[in-house]
Amino acid sequence: YHINLFHLSGIRLAPKEKLEIPVLFMPAEMKIYKAVVVIHVMRENGENWPYEVTGESDTDLNRNVIVAENGETQGILWIYPVNGTPEAPKQKSVVIRCQARQRLEQRVELLLIGVMPDAGNSATADTEELSSTPEVTDGSSATLEFLYELQYQSDEIRYQLESLVGMELVEKEWDTESRIVTLIFNVVFAPSKPMRSEATLVIQCTAGGLWKFPLVFIATEPEVDDVINIEAVGLNKESIVGFKLTSQTR
C-alpha cells in the first residue's frame, strides 16, 4: 500500500501503558487508498491466558483471539482499517462581489487537477454529509461522481451567509488526456447590508481526491435610497420633513 505502516515487533508494554503507532501517508495520485493496521499481542513469558473461547463468548472478541490447542487464548488481534484521501494543495480564493440590496448571479469555473477514473470505489464515511451531484461521464467506461459542500469558519458566519448565498453545480467537463475536470457552479449572492465573509467550497470525488476552494463574499455599500430636501421657512425657525423607514427583518 502507499500508506506505509511501520513494522513494530518485540515491544514490551506495561499495564495501562499507551502505544503510539506511526502511519505515513504519501499519495502518488488522487484516488482512495486503503490499508489495515494489525496489532498482535502475546504474553511476554509465552504463556497463554486461561480464558477459553466458547460459543457463548463475545462474538467480536472471538474473531480477534488466537486460540491454542488446549482452548486457551494464545494471542489477541486488534485490526484498524485506514482510509487515505489525498487532498489537493490550497487553491486561490474566488472573490464574489455584489452591492448591498442587489442580487448577483455569477458562474464560477473550478479546475480539479489529477482526477482519476472511477474504478468502482465508494465514497468514504467523511463524504456522507456532502451534497451529492449527478454523475460525469467521459465518453468511455469511466464514470465520475462529485460531492460538494459549502463550509463556514464558525456558526456565526454560517448564520450570516446561509440565507444570502446559493450554489448549484450546472456543468462539468472531463478531459481524459490531462485528467482535469472543470466544474461550473452557478452562484447567487443577495446581501442585505455591507459585509465581508469567507467560506470554503469542499469538493470530493468518489474515486478519490479532495479539493478546497476558499470563497470570499464581499457586499459593498448600497445605492442611496433618496435625497431629502428641507426648505427653510425663515431664519432661526425649524423646518420639519417626515419620511418612512421599513425594517428588512422582524
Side-chain angles (χ1 to χ4, degrees):
Y1 299 103
H2 287 271
I3 301 178
N4 296 328
L5 304 178
F6 300 91
H7 181 69
L8 305 177
S9 61
I11 297 176
R12 184 178 184 273
L13 290 178
K16 304 294 184 178
E17 187 176 355
K18 295 182 179 180
L19 172 64
E20 293 187 359
I21 300 175
V23 178
L24 177 63
F25 183 37
M26 298 176 60
E29 295 177 326
M30 297 294 278
K31 65 180 182 181
I32 295 176
Y33 293 87
K34 294 185 178 182
V36 176
V37 177
V38 180
I39 302 171
H40 180 203
V41 63
M42 297 181 295
R43 279 187 167 180
E44 186 178 20
N45 57 11
E47 296 179 359
N48 298 332
W49 282 276
Y51 174 79
E52 293 186 5
V53 179
T54 64
E56 299 178 354
S57 302
D58 186 273
T59 55
D60 290 333
L61 179 61
N62 291 351
R63 287 196 295 264
N64 295 334
V65 297
I66 301 173
V67 181
E69 294 181 358
N70 62 358
E72 295 181 340
T73 300
Q74 187 178 27
I76 304 176
L77 291 177
W78 284 271
I79 302 175
Y80 296 92
V82 179
N83 295 328
T85 300
E87 181 175 334
K90 187 177 181 180
Q91 309 295 315
K92 291 184 179 180
S93 297
V94 177
V95 179
I96 300 172
R97 189 186 304 268
C98 179
Q99 192 175 32
R101 298 208 301 267
Q102 299 293 324
R103 183 180 184 275
L104 172 71
E105 191 165 344
Q106 178 177 328
R107 290 169 69 89
V108 176
E109 292 189 7
L110 303 177
L111 300 182
L112 309 185
I113 300 175
V115 178
M116 296 292 294
D118 189 0
N121 293 323
S122 59
T124 60
D126 295 337
T127 67
E128 291 180 356
E129 297 182 356
L130 302 183
S131 303
S132 180
T133 70
E135 295 177 343
V136 185
T137 305
D138 68 353
S140 63
S141 60
T143 301
L144 296 172
E145 186 177 353
F146 294 91
L147 311 169
Y148 67 93
E149 180 188 33
L150 197 59
Q151 296 181 351
Y152 306 92
Q153 295 178 340
S154 65
D155 291 338
E156 182 180 354
I157 296 178
R158 176 186 294 273
Y159 177 79
Q160 184 182 39
L161 279 182
E162 215 165 25
S163 61
L164 308 177
V165 175
M167 295 194 69
E168 182 185 6
L169 181 58
V170 294
E171 191 175 340
K172 315 169 200 69
E173 298 176 0
W174 166 229
D175 189 332
T176 55
E177 185 174 349
S178 64
R179 293 197 315 194
I180 295 178
V181 172
T182 302
L183 299 184
I184 302 176
F185 287 85
N186 187 53
V187 181
V188 176
F189 184 33
S192 58
K193 61 183 180 180
M195 59 178 288
R196 178 189 172 92
S197 295
E198 297 181 4
T200 301
L201 179 61
V202 180
I203 302 174
Q204 183 156 4
C205 180
T206 53
L210 190 70
W211 293 263
K212 294 182 180 180
F213 295 89
L215 303 180
V216 181
F217 295 93
I218 299 176
T220 58
E221 291 289 338
E223 294 283 353
V224 174
D225 292 284
D226 202 356
V227 177
I228 300 173
N229 294 314
I230 303 178
E231 185 176 341
V233 295
L235 292 176
N236 298 319
K237 293 183 179 180
E238 293 182 351
S239 295
I240 300 176
V241 173
F243 59 94
K244 294 182 179 180
L245 295 179
T246 302
S247 174
Q248 298 297 318
T249 64
R250 293 185 180 181

